[in-house]
Amino acid sequence: STGSSITQAEFDLTVNENVITGGVPGMIVTYYNSLIDAQTPQNPITPATAYLGNDNEIIHVRVQNIATGCYSTTTQLLRV
């Protein structure tokens, strides 16, 4: 049998925002396809609530403090 497996799906990247920010208010969370875009920041994924992603794709997440402008990045692995 040559059954095909589904390797792409629509993701709501925002579902884990509360975990990513630790519930701390005053944070902006944005999503990117590359680390350089997350650091710059440029070319954010929009809309982050309906992203067509691939299995095992790594999304780069930027978490920025609105008051200080300080930010950090992390990754999110997509699983179909």
Side-chain angles (χ1 to χ4, degrees):
S1 152
T2 59
S4 64
S5 61
I6 297 171
T7 60
Q8 208 171 43
E10 187 174 284
F11 292 88
D12 180 351
L13 301 177
T14 67
V15 294
N16 290 321
E17 276 187 12
N18 207 37
V19 174
I20 292 169
T21 64
V24 176
M27 298 291 181
I28 297 174
V29 182
T30 45
Y31 303 87
Y32 303 86
N33 292 110
S34 72
L35 179 58
I36 199 85
D37 282 354
Q39 292 169 330
T40 310
Q42 62 185 1
N43 305 314
I45 294 170
T46 56
T49 53
Y51 175 68
L52 188 60
N54 297 299
D55 192 33
N56 288 321
E57 181 176 349
I58 295 173
I59 299 298
H60 296 269
V61 185
R62 177 185 173 106
V63 182
Q64 184 165 345
N65 183 307
I66 296 168
T68 66
C70 294
Y71 75 93
S72 64
T73 60
T74 187
T75 58
Q76 191 168 311
L77 179 65
L78 303 183
R79 298 305 307 240
V80 173

